[in-house]
Amino acid sequence: MTASPTEVFDVVVVGGGPAGSTVATLAAQAGHRVLVLERETFPRYQIGESLLPATVHGVCRMLGVADEIAEAGFVRKRGGTFRWGASDEPWTFTFATSRRMAGPTSHAYQVERMKFDDILLRNAARKGAEVRQGHTVTGLVEDDDAVRGVRFTDPSGDERQADARFVIDASGHTSRVRKGVRGERQYSEFFQNIALFGYFEGGRRLPAPNAGNIFCAAFSDGWFWYIPLSAELTSVGAVVKREMAARVQGDPEQALMALITDCPEMADFLKDAKRVTTGPYGQIRTRKDYSYRNTAFWRPGMALVGDAACFIDPVFSSGVHLATYSGLLAARSINSVLDGGMEEARAFAEFEARYRREFGLFYQFLISFYQMHVDEQSYFWAAKKVTNCPDSEIEAFVDLVGGVASGENALVSRSARERVAGAAREFGDAVDRIAGRPDGEVGAVGRRPFVPGLMDEGSRLQSRAALGELAEEAPLSPGGLVPSSDGLRWEEPPSSSSTTVSPA
């Protein structure tokens, strides 16, 4: 092996999955020199196939890949279906229930991660990031004050070094360098489960229009996910309690089939299906101890995003959402420091506070969701309590599991904004027709007591539409920052803004 000269970048991203691709793209779009070092060669297998609308219509829109994702042929997901809780009957929610997601984009996708991740990584390269696959980061360059860069090997085995103002660890739960932030990984005392999963062809689908929904079914020892990835291919996984670990020991084929037999819904859906036994989907895999969070998400010169920082039980498919959202938050902090001279401590304190809050929303709600003796209405109420959502219980639930409970406008699709703006204009026109005549003479109905109130509301709606819709974002805490109008940086909140978002 030979040594090579040290290279210099603004940002080095370790890992090219959704978290790494997101932060790399948004930093490169801001004009910064970005290097992505990915150990594997894409496309490569990865679990975590069910997306949320916040990723599809929020982050992917900001990345510039929303159209490519829509044209990729992924299965459309309108919501989720559960056989869960006290009721023996399955229940379904739809993303369209939420006013923040209603409209033509009130859906997400079930994706083959090999294809989805490859789209995001290729896009990062198109947007200006230098992407090197088959490069393994072996260590950090650091001193007592900060992380200054990384050491890595190229495909030939040569040792190399890249110095950077920021190192972002997006290398997943097996990260080799996450301890560089000087924190420890703490595993959840509540979610100590084991997942056993594989892939099947020919499995049954839910009735239309919910055929593309994820289906989750609880049984005595845990629960199953059932994710349709195409007309034929289905991802099937059992999540069992730690005390049931003996059930996933030994032959994985026998263990998975035995668990399927114990869950009547899964047995029925898979009665005519065959397990895939070749190719990237031919292996039965196990993952354990997967709910955790780091005690620190950043230190000067370095931050953790995605699974390198934290992960939570997958029942609501929050993995890719937390990955891409954390990538967005990190990119904002990087851009704010490099472009505007914001103090690093302040920018990344905002990153960590918002990232922990989003993780905390899912964590706190999932503790309630694992109470199996209640019905779905109790789950909806628990979501409202956790999120402090002013809307109905079901809307609070859908906002949370759709990834928009943070209230961030950047995570809401343009169509949702346009829909509310259009509704405001239609409402205003209707009020005008009721309240007056073309010649300015007030009609009889215009003299009725409720009309002035309608006119006031119409005026408020029109004002909100003219300002780009959706409520003005408030800081997370007193003295906190808010996203810029384009969502790519942090900025000071308007001086008139005194309301803050309650942390979870």
Coordinates of all heavy atoms in Angstrom, one line a residue, residues 90-130:
P90 N -59.1 -5.9 11.3 CA -58.1 -5.0 10.8 C -58.7 -3.5 10.6 O -59.9 -3.4 10.4 CB -57.7 -5.5 9.4 CG -58.1 -7.0 9.4 CD -59.3 -7.0 10.3
W91 N -57.9 -2.5 10.8 CA -58.3 -1.2 10.6 C -57.2 -0.5 9.8 O -56.1 -0.8 9.7 CB -58.5 -0.4 11.9 CG -57.4 -0.5 12.9 CD1 -57.2 -1.5 13.9 CD2 -56.3 0.4 13.1 NE1 -56.0 -1.3 14.6 CE2 -55.5 -0.1 14.2 CE3 -55.9 1.6 12.5 CZ2 -54.3 0.6 14.6 CZ3 -54.8 2.3 13.0 CH2 -54.0 1.8 14.0
T92 N -57.7 0.5 9.0 CA -56.9 1.2 8.0 C -56.9 2.7 8.2 O -57.9 3.3 8.5 CB -57.4 0.8 6.6 OG1 -57.3 -0.6 6.4 CG2 -56.6 1.6 5.5
F93 N -55.8 3.3 8.0 CA -55.7 4.8 7.9 C -55.2 5.2 6.6 O -54.5 4.4 5.9 CB -54.8 5.3 9.0 CG -53.3 5.1 8.8 CD1 -52.6 6.0 8.0 CD2 -52.7 4.0 9.3 CE1 -51.2 5.8 7.8 CE2 -51.3 3.8 9.1 CZ -50.6 4.7 8.3
T94 N -55.5 6.4 6.1 CA -55.0 6.9 4.9 C -54.3 8.3 5.1 O -54.8 9.1 6.0 CB -56.2 7.1 3.8 OG1 -57.1 8.1 4.4 CG2 -56.9 5.8 3.6
F95 N -53.3 8.5 4.4 CA -52.6 9.8 4.5 C -53.5 11.0 4.2 O -53.2 12.1 4.6 CB -51.3 9.8 3.7 CG -50.3 8.8 4.1 CD1 -49.8 7.8 3.2 CD2 -49.8 8.7 5.4 CE1 -48.9 6.9 3.6 CE2 -48.9 7.8 5.8 CZ -48.4 6.9 4.8
A96 N -54.5 10.8 3.3 CA -55.3 11.9 2.9 C -56.2 12.4 4.0 O -56.7 13.5 3.9 CB -56.3 11.4 1.8
T97 N -56.2 11.7 5.1 CA -56.9 12.2 6.3 C -56.3 13.5 6.8 O -57.0 14.4 7.4 CB -56.9 11.2 7.4 OG1 -57.5 10.0 6.9 CG2 -57.7 11.7 8.6
S98 N -55.0 13.7 6.7 CA -54.3 14.8 7.1 C -54.4 16.0 6.2 O -54.2 15.8 5.0 CB -52.8 14.5 7.3 OG -52.0 15.7 7.5
R99 N -54.7 17.2 6.7 CA -54.8 18.4 5.9 C -53.5 18.8 5.3 O -53.3 19.5 4.3 CB -55.5 19.5 6.7 CG -57.0 19.4 6.7 CD -57.6 20.5 7.6 NE -57.4 20.1 9.0 CZ -58.0 20.8 10.0 NH1 -58.6 21.9 9.7 NH2 -57.8 20.4 11.2
R100 N -52.4 18.3 6.0 CA -51.1 18.7 5.5 C -50.6 17.7 4.4 O -49.6 18.0 3.8 CB -50.1 18.6 6.7 CG -50.3 19.7 7.8 CD -49.3 19.6 8.9 NE -47.9 19.8 8.4 CZ -47.4 21.1 8.3 NH1 -48.1 22.1 8.6 NH2 -46.2 21.3 7.9
M101 N -51.3 16.7 4.2 CA -51.0 15.7 3.1 C -52.1 15.5 2.1 O -51.8 14.8 1.1 CB -50.5 14.4 3.8 CG -49.2 14.4 4.5 SD -48.7 12.9 5.3 CE -49.8 12.8 6.7
A102 N -53.3 16.0 2.4 CA -54.4 15.7 1.5 C -54.1 16.2 0.1 O -53.5 17.2 -0.1 CB -55.7 16.3 2.0
G103 N -54.7 15.6 -0.9 CA -54.5 16.0 -2.3 C -53.9 14.9 -3.1 O -53.8 13.7 -2.7
P104 N -53.4 15.2 -4.4 CA -52.9 14.2 -5.3 C -51.6 13.6 -4.8 O -51.2 12.5 -5.3 CB -52.7 15.0 -6.6 CG -52.6 16.4 -6.2 CD -53.5 16.5 -5.0
T105 N -51.0 14.1 -3.8 CA -49.7 13.5 -3.3 C -49.9 12.9 -1.9 O -48.9 12.8 -1.1 CB -48.6 14.6 -3.2 OG1 -49.0 15.7 -2.5 CG2 -48.2 15.0 -4.6
S106 N -51.1 12.5 -1.5 CA -51.4 11.9 -0.2 C -51.0 10.4 -0.3 O -51.9 9.6 0.0 CB -52.8 12.1 0.2 OG -53.7 11.6 -0.8
H107 N -49.8 10.2 -0.6 CA -49.3 8.8 -0.7 C -47.8 8.8 -0.6 O -47.2 9.8 -0.6 CB -49.7 8.2 -2.1 CG -49.0 8.8 -3.2 ND1 -49.5 9.9 -3.9 CD2 -47.8 8.5 -3.9 CE1 -48.7 10.3 -4.8 NE2 -47.6 9.4 -4.8
A108 N -47.3 7.6 -0.3 CA -45.9 7.3 -0.3 C -45.6 6.1 -1.2 O -46.5 5.8 -2.1 CB -45.3 7.1 1.1
Y109 N -44.5 5.5 -1.1 CA -44.2 4.3 -1.9 C -43.5 3.2 -1.1 O -42.9 3.5 0.0 CB -43.2 4.7 -3.0 CG -43.7 5.7 -4.0 CD1 -43.2 7.0 -4.0 CD2 -44.7 5.3 -5.0 CE1 -43.7 7.9 -5.0 CE2 -45.2 6.2 -5.9 CZ -44.7 7.5 -5.9 OH -45.2 8.4 -6.8
Q110 N -43.8 2.0 -1.5 CA -43.0 0.8 -1.1 C -41.9 0.7 -2.1 O -42.1 0.5 -3.3 CB -43.9 -0.4 -1.0 CG -45.3 -0.2 -0.4 CD -45.3 -0.1 1.1 OE1 -44.3 0.2 1.7 NE2 -46.4 -0.3 1.7
V111 N -40.6 0.7 -1.6 CA -39.5 0.7 -2.6 C -38.6 -0.4 -2.4 O -38.4 -0.9 -1.2 CB -38.7 2.1 -2.5 CG1 -39.6 3.3 -2.7 CG2 -38.1 2.2 -1.1
E112 N -38.0 -0.9 -3.4 CA -36.8 -1.7 -3.3 C -35.6 -0.8 -3.1 O -35.3 0.0 -3.9 CB -36.6 -2.5 -4.6 CG -37.7 -3.5 -4.9 CD -37.5 -4.3 -6.1 OE1 -36.5 -5.1 -6.1 OE2 -38.2 -4.2 -7.1
R113 N -35.0 -1.0 -1.9 CA -34.0 0.0 -1.5 C -32.8 0.0 -2.4 O -32.1 1.0 -2.6 CB -33.6 -0.3 -0.1 CG -34.6 0.1 1.0 CD -34.6 1.6 1.2 NE -33.3 2.1 1.6 CZ -32.9 2.1 2.8 NH1 -33.6 1.7 3.8 NH2 -31.7 2.6 3.1
M114 N -32.5 -1.1 -3.1 CA -31.4 -1.2 -4.0 C -31.7 -0.1 -5.1 O -30.7 0.6 -5.5 CB -31.3 -2.5 -4.7 CG -30.8 -3.6 -3.8 SD -30.5 -5.2 -4.6 CE -32.2 -5.7 -5.1
K115 N -32.9 0.1 -5.6 CA -33.2 1.0 -6.6 C -33.3 2.5 -6.0 O -32.8 3.4 -6.6 CB -34.5 0.6 -7.3 CG -34.5 -0.7 -8.0 CD -35.8 -1.1 -8.6 CE -35.8 -2.4 -9.3 NZ -37.1 -2.8 -9.8
F116 N -34.0 2.6 -4.9 CA -34.3 3.9 -4.3 C -33.0 4.6 -3.9 O -32.7 5.7 -4.2 CB -35.2 3.8 -3.1 CG -35.5 5.0 -2.4 CD1 -36.3 6.0 -2.9 CD2 -34.8 5.3 -1.2 CE1 -36.5 7.2 -2.2 CE2 -35.1 6.4 -0.5 CZ -35.9 7.4 -1.0
D117 N -32.1 3.8 -3.2 CA -30.9 4.4 -2.7 C -30.0 4.8 -3.8 O -29.2 5.8 -3.8 CB -30.2 3.4 -1.8 CG -30.9 3.2 -0.4 OD1 -32.1 3.7 -0.3 OD2 -30.3 2.6 0.5
D118 N -30.0 4.0 -4.9 CA -29.2 4.3 -6.1 C -29.6 5.6 -6.7 O -28.8 6.4 -7.2 CB -29.2 3.1 -7.1 CG -28.2 3.2 -8.1 OD1 -27.0 3.4 -7.8 OD2 -28.5 3.0 -9.3
I119 N -30.9 5.8 -6.8 CA -31.4 7.0 -7.4 C -30.9 8.2 -6.6 O -30.4 9.2 -7.1 CB -33.0 7.0 -7.4 CG1 -33.5 6.0 -8.4 CG2 -33.5 8.4 -7.6 CD1 -35.0 5.9 -8.4
L120 N -30.9 8.1 -5.3 CA -30.5 9.2 -4.4 C -29.0 9.5 -4.5 O -28.5 10.6 -4.6 CB -30.9 9.0 -3.0 CG -32.2 9.6 -2.5 CD1 -33.4 9.2 -3.3 CD2 -32.5 9.3 -1.0
L121 N -28.2 8.4 -4.6 CA -26.8 8.6 -4.6 C -26.3 9.1 -6.0 O -25.5 10.0 -6.1 CB -26.1 7.2 -4.3 CG -24.5 7.3 -4.2 CD1 -24.2 8.3 -3.0 CD2 -23.9 5.9 -4.0
R122 N -26.9 8.6 -7.1 CA -26.6 9.2 -8.4 C -27.0 10.7 -8.5 O -26.3 11.5 -9.1 CB -27.3 8.4 -9.5 CG -26.7 7.0 -9.7 CD -27.2 6.3 -10.9 NE -28.6 5.8 -10.7 CZ -29.7 6.4 -11.2 NH1 -29.6 7.5 -11.9 NH2 -30.9 5.9 -11.0
N123 N -28.1 11.0 -7.8 CA -28.5 12.4 -7.8 C -27.5 13.3 -7.1 O -27.3 14.4 -7.5 CB -29.9 12.5 -7.2 CG -30.4 13.9 -7.1 OD1 -30.7 14.6 -8.1 ND2 -30.5 14.5 -5.9
A124 N -27.0 12.8 -6.0 CA -26.0 13.6 -5.3 C -24.8 13.9 -6.2 O -24.2 15.0 -6.2 CB -25.5 12.8 -4.0
A125 N -24.4 12.9 -7.0 CA -23.3 13.1 -7.9 C -23.7 14.2 -9.0 O -22.9 15.0 -9.4 CB -22.8 11.8 -8.6
R126 N -24.9 14.1 -9.5 CA -25.4 15.0 -10.5 C -25.4 16.4 -9.9 O -25.1 17.4 -10.7 CB -26.8 14.7 -11.0 CG -26.8 13.5 -11.9 CD -28.1 13.5 -12.7 NE -29.3 13.5 -11.8 CZ -29.9 12.4 -11.4 NH1 -29.5 11.2 -11.7 NH2 -31.0 12.5 -10.6
K127 N -25.7 16.6 -8.6 CA -25.8 17.9 -8.0 C -24.5 18.5 -7.6 O -24.4 19.5 -7.0 CB -26.8 17.8 -6.9 CG -28.2 17.5 -7.3 CD -28.8 18.5 -8.2 CE -30.1 18.1 -8.8 NZ -31.2 17.9 -7.8
G128 N -23.4 17.7 -7.8 CA -22.1 18.3 -7.6 C -21.2 17.6 -6.5 O -20.0 18.0 -6.4
A129 N -21.8 16.7 -5.8 CA -21.0 15.9 -4.8 C -20.0 14.9 -5.5 O -20.4 14.4 -6.6 CB -21.8 15.2 -3.8
E130 N -18.8 14.8 -5.0 CA -17.9 13.8 -5.6 C -18.2 12.5 -4.8 O -18.0 12.4 -3.6 CB -16.5 14.2 -5.4 CG -15.5 13.2 -6.0 CD -14.1 13.7 -6.0 OE1 -13.9 14.9 -5.9 OE2 -13.1 12.8 -6.2

